[in-house]
Amino acid sequence: MNNRLKMLPQKKWPKLCLTTALCLPASTLAWGQDTSTDEPAAKLEVGDEANTTAPEPAEIIRGDLMVVVGAAGEETYEPVFREWSGTWMQLAKAAKLNAVRIGDASSKSELNDLQLLEKALEGFETDSPRPLWISLIGHGTFARNVAKFNLRGPDVSADQMNDWLAGFKRPVVIVNNASSSGPFINALSGPNRIIVTATKSGNEQNFARFGQYFAEALASMDSDLDHDDAVSIREAFVRASKDVELFYEAEDRIATEHALIDDNGDGLGSQANDLRNQVLTPEQLAKLDGKQAARMTIAPVANSLNWTDDQLQRRDEFENQLDALRMQRLSDPAAFPDNQWADHLEKILVPLAELYHEVESNSPP
């Protein structure tokens, strides 16, 4: 095998499997950048009309986050939803995301929350390698095959949100923490999208606790299962699902919520147990969600690298090539003899490592 890979500095390279392709590079990119301000760029307070303020020219926005707090219904839920949304906003602050929060009883806006939500989405860039994060915190309903997220005033349906996102080519991460949220996967699933729902169907209509555990998992390095110093969406999803399971066991109650994740565009979704299953056929692995979610993280890490949009796109292309190569070998092992496997990997891993070297050279120590 060529020695070019060995000659490159090895401090911050992604995880590279040279003998099998069963592990993929785990991107430790944090969508944040240290700046002199303590506030997220263009942050809007709760209920503000979502006119995203342009950042200073020298500032690089690492992504956008919209937190939507729905109708509490009962007073007991107001502090709960406030706490969950607060965790998301703290993540945005740490990651220096462009953050928008919608939903507050004290809002003086003349627009209702449904109008604010639509206006906020209209203000976001539609074509960028930087992700748009949307977190829905509240209650949901499902009636006549229509799933909705309950806002103060008119509710928003899954189909309506999909229409608003139709023109988005950038990565979009939607986390619906509400009850009856499962059908949002059917409506919103598509290329370059990661959808997480607190329930597996619209019929799981009881109050869902997944939102608490998912926000906590994203914010905690204890969720870093692969020890790459970053918490991916997949890792947070797996941990939060387990925490939900443990809650119902401790309460000796039948679980009324089963979270799903979808990132392969098939609209079906996978549960955490599916992702943890180590005995799967190549056909099952091909249909399994979680590959894209394993590469995406919101929380910054101490040794974050400064990526340009072009470098991000190149990195994603290399990682997609590795993923495709792995699936090809699983499907037809005879096509990749062991004595040739390293050569196939080298064609992807060497330029990927060189890319990381390029990024590291332009990043602070």
Side-chain angles (χ1 to χ4, degrees), residues 211-265:
Q212 170 191 346
Y213 296 118
F214 187 78
E216 291 175 352
L218 274 179
S220 173
M221 289 305 296
D222 290 341
S223 308
D224 180 20
L225 302 178
D226 59 8
H227 307 291
D228 66 348
D229 296 325
V231 178
S232 69
I233 300 174
R234 174 176 173 143
E235 289 172 325
F237 172 77
V238 169
R239 179 182 175 183
S241 298
K242 187 62 179 181
D243 287 341
V244 169
E245 181 183 329
L246 293 174
F247 168 83
Y248 284 99
E249 288 181 0
E251 294 290 319
D252 196 22
R253 295 164 54 181
I254 297 176
T256 57
E257 56 183 294
H258 302 83
L260 289 179
I261 187 170
D262 181 283
D263 67 354
N264 63 7

Side-chain angles (χ1 to χ4, degrees), residues 286-356:
K287 297 178 181 179
L288 189 66
D289 295 283
K291 299 180 183 68
Q292 298 296 326
R295 303 173 187 169
M296 184 81 72
T297 178
I298 189 174
V301 293
N303 61 344
S304 299
L305 302 178
N306 290 340
W307 295 76
T308 66
D309 289 355
D310 175 68
Q311 289 166 338
L312 282 177
Q313 292 175 331
R314 287 157 57 195
R315 183 208 64 182
D316 289 345
E317 289 173 1
F318 286 132
E319 293 187 344
N320 288 334
Q321 290 173 24
L322 275 176
D323 191 20
L325 187 64
R326 178 177 80 109
M327 295 310 301
Q328 290 174 19
R329 192 189 193 198
L330 288 172
S331 300
D332 187 9
F336 298 90
D338 290 341
N339 61 344
Q340 299 178 14
W341 180 235
D343 294 333
H344 288 284
L345 286 173
E346 183 183 4
K347 293 177 181 178
I348 303 174
L349 295 181
V350 168
L352 178 59
E354 291 175 338
L355 173 61
Y356 268 76

Side-chain angles (χ1 to χ4, degrees), residues 173-191:
V173 182
I174 303 170
V175 183
N176 189 339
N177 303 282
S179 52
S180 300
S181 53
F184 271 67
I185 281 183
N186 307 113
L188 296 172
S189 176

Side-chain angles (χ1 to χ4, degrees), residues 48-49 63 70 84 90 109 129 133-134 137 141 148 161 171 182 201 209 215 225 239 285 291 309 327 332 344 350:
D48 284 353
E49 295 186 17
W84 298 3
Q90 286 299 315
S109 173
W133 298 73
I134 302 173
I137 298 174
T141 57
K148 294 183 177 182
M161 181 164 286
S201 72
R209 290 168 172 80
L225 302 178
R239 179 182 175 183
L285 281 172
K291 299 180 183 68
D309 289 355
M327 295 310 301
D332 187 9
H344 288 284
V350 168

Side-chain angles (χ1 to χ4, degrees), residues 69-89:
V69 182
E74 299 178 11
E75 291 185 3
T76 54
Y77 292 120
E78 288 185 6
V80 173
F81 295 155
R82 191 182 310 120
E83 180 181 356
W84 298 3
S85 67
T87 302
W88 278 95
M89 295 304 287

